[in-house]
Amino acid sequence: MARGETIAGLDIGTTKTCAVIASSGPDGLEILGVGEAPSTGMRKGVVTDLEETVRAIEAATEKAERMAGVHVSHVYVGVTGEHMQSTNNRGVVAVTGEDREVIHADVKRVVDASKIINVAADRQIVHALPRHYTIDGQDGITDPIGMSGGRLEVDTHIVTGGSTFISNVLKCVHRAGLETAGIVFEPLASSAATLLPEEKQVGVVLLDIGGGTTDIAVFADGGVVHSATIPVGGNILTNDIALGLKTTFAEAENVKRTYGSGLMRPDEAEQTFQVKTLDGRSTREVTSSQLRSIVLPRVLEIFRLAKANIVERMARDQVLSEVVITGGGAHLRGIETTAADVFGLPVRIGIPSTIAGLTDTVRQPQYATAVGLVLFGPRGEQAPHLNGQGGGPLAKLWTWFTSIWN
Ligand SMILES: Nc1ncnc2c1ncn2[C@@H]1O[C@H](COP(=O)(O)OP(=O)(O)OP(=O)(O)O)[C@@H](O)[C@H]1O
Ligand SMILES: [Mg+2]
């Protein structure tokens, strides 16, 4: 990546659309601008209103551009939704060059070989992320370039998505006057912003609890082994509160945010507060234990669904050491305790911390995806062999994503 090059990420979420603009400096990426606008045309990763979504993209991007003092033309776009699926696969090729030394072209060929899987006509491969390579039976190789051998194998994590869903998101981006530099499955972006290499090595579960979805990424031995999305997020808590306390969604959201602190802890001192009635004309007294009895079962359900999704896809002997929770849902303080009970693992809250610049603004869990897009987008963190290959527009080098525009 050239020094001073501008990179932008666009996270079009269920509740908010967020644009992040960063620039590559001597110490890595630095954030120059962040812009946010409410999302009213998206539901659980799927476009429900094209015009509203275009408007949100334009508004968020303009704010970020104004803050950064630069104009952006290309963006890395986050995609999510129940249509996203993942699997692990293996590719094998013969090393054919002189001296049987592995070169970049061999790595590209073997990753391409791993992409030969049955993909339904209405789906597309979004990522083929190398986890590790094997040369002549020696496994666990992270960067095979320059090594000698006859048979090169790669284990990859393949992510696919519904082409129609993805093309509708990209259509909105295009109509907002932006070109798509690449698409990134959102939990992978969130992981890039919040997880440390050591955590990925010892085995970590990332849960990004958004408004409409909970995005999952599981890492082990330094690479991603599972990624998925479940169609429940923080908004379902708000719905439950609105129904349970017979109030509006807006008042329920307010209650969740104001009294959410310590909500998950049964030892928290009892509080009493006033909640507006549906017509807004009067208020009703509610206790924190009433609120807890509404919210806790839902939070437990989200974690149990996430755990079931992970357990189903994980090898029995897979060791996982930690859970990291991010996304706006991570603000529900005390949520770590509930997650720790369900997963039986230590839990921490993930904030975007692996990047410099505007730290006060972006060090919030709801920005993990947007920040991660500028980190993961150009670097493709699971593809070390593609790093620093320079020459020509970077986007052309990254064969691990497919864009509907080509
Ligand atoms: N202080 C808070 N306490 C509790 N929940 C909160 C708080 N702040 C935000 N949330 C919740 O976080 C959710 C929004 O998170 P986020 O901004 O990560 O979602 P999104 O990216 O728009 O949606 P998605 O990822 O599902 O497409 C909402 O359900 C919101 O109620
Ligand atoms: Mg999100």
Side-chain angles (χ1 to χ4, degrees):
M1 191 186 310
R3 184 77 52 90
E5 187 181 341
T6 300
I7 301 129
L10 190 62
D11 169 19
I12 314 166
T14 301
T15 63
K16 54 106 179 53
T17 294
C18 183
V20 162
I21 300 174
S23 148
S24 52
D27 303 318
L29 277 184
E30 187 183 345
I31 296 183
L32 304 177
V34 183
E36 192 180 326
S39 284
T40 46
M42 289 293 285
R43 233 187 124 243
K44 300 179 191 288
V46 172
V47 180
T48 52
D49 188 322
L50 218 84
E51 293 311 315
E52 285 293 326
T53 303
V54 171
R55 252 197 294 276
I57 294 170
E58 284 171 345
T61 310
E62 270 170 35
K63 281 185 198 164
E65 284 181 328
R66 222 174 299 134
M67 191 188 285
V70 295
H71 176 71
V72 292
S73 56
H74 288 70
V75 286
Y76 288 93
V77 181
V79 289
T80 189
E82 249 190 316
H83 63 95
M84 300 298 294
Q85 289 169 6
S86 74
T87 184
N88 293 326
N89 203 27
R90 174 167 272 224
V92 185
V93 294
V95 180
T96 50
E98 264 177 53
D99 308 331
R100 299 194 318 154
E101 194 171 287
V102 177
I103 58 170
H104 178 70
D106 298 315
V107 173
K108 186 183 176 315
R109 270 195 307 127
V110 78
V111 172
D112 283 346
S114 80
K115 288 196 215 168
I116 302 169
I117 56 164
N118 268 334
V119 182
D122 59 350
R123 301 186 61 75
Q124 65 187 81
I125 293 179
V126 175
H127 300 287
L129 305 171
R131 290 159 51 215
H132 43 80
Y133 298 87
T134 303
I135 300 178
D136 291 345
Q138 187 203 327
D139 62 11
I141 296 168
T142 50
D143 188 356
I145 286 176
M147 292 188 183
S148 297
R151 179 186 162 96
L152 175 66
E153 297 168 64
V154 68
D155 285 291
T156 51
H157 182 68
I158 311 267
V159 179
T160 63
S163 301
T164 312
F165 299 111
I166 293 172
S167 71
N168 279 332
V169 171
L170 299 191
K171 196 178 272 179
C172 295
V173 174
H174 197 64
R175 286 209 186 161
L178 295 161
E179 296 294 327
T180 300
I183 56 177
V184 180
F185 185 26
E186 289 179 10
L188 302 174
S190 303
S191 303
T194 57
L195 300 183
L196 299 168
E198 295 78 14
E199 291 175 314
K200 293 180 188 167
Q201 202 61 44
V202 296
V204 60
V205 172
L206 175 110
L207 298 178
D208 182 324
I209 307 178
T213 60
T214 294
D215 290 338
I216 303 169
V218 184
F219 290 78
D221 299 323
V224 58
V225 289
H226 176 53
S227 56
T229 292
I230 52 175
V232 277
N235 285 1
I236 206 163
L237 308 179
T238 313
N239 268 328
D240 287 350
I241 295 170
L243 284 173
L245 302 184
K246 296 185 181 57
T247 187
T248 59
F249 188 88
E251 175 72 348
E253 180 72 19
N254 183 29
V255 166
K256 181 175 82 170
R257 289 182 184 219
T258 313
Y259 302 101
S261 161
L263 193 61
M264 315 313 298
R265 296 200 187 100
D267 56 339
E268 197 75 14
E270 185 83 332
Q271 281 187 69
T272 309
F273 45 89
Q274 299 296 319
V275 177
K276 276 189 213 144
T277 53
L278 264 177
D279 61 10
R281 290 202 190 141
S282 55
T283 60
R284 192 181 296 122
E285 196 170 87
V286 174
T287 63
S288 48
S289 52
Q290 269 177 289
L291 186 57
R292 186 182 306 125
S293 70
I294 296 171
V295 173
L296 191 57
R298 264 305 183 199
V299 176
L300 279 169
E301 187 194 2
I302 292 175
F303 288 135
R304 284 180 186 142
L305 283 171
K307 186 179 177 184
N309 178 290
I310 293 164
V311 168
E312 194 191 335
R313 292 284 307 278
M314 222 40 45
R316 276 177 188 271
D317 59 352
Q318 183 69 64
V319 177
L320 297 171
S321 308
E322 192 192 18
V323 175
V324 175
I325 304 174
T326 191
H331 279 291
L332 208 60
R333 247 176 288 156
I335 201 169
E336 300 101 303
T337 319
T338 316
D341 284 348
V342 174
F343 283 89
L345 291 172
V347 180
R348 75 168 176 92
I349 301 299
I351 55 162
S353 53
T354 54
I355 193 162
L358 294 178
T359 46
D360 290 347
T361 315
V362 297
R363 288 203 172 175
Q364 298 281 343
Q366 65 268 33
Y367 298 129
T369 305
V371 170
L373 284 170
V374 297
L375 288 164
F376 187 101
R379 212 170 58 194
E381 61 168 2
Q382 294 302 315
H385 56 282
L386 293 175
N387 284 351
Q389 295 292 318
L394 282 174
K396 286 194 187 137
L397 286 170
W398 301 310
T399 52
W400 45 268
F401 64 75
T402 42
S403 157
I404 61 152
W405 306 117
N406 56 34

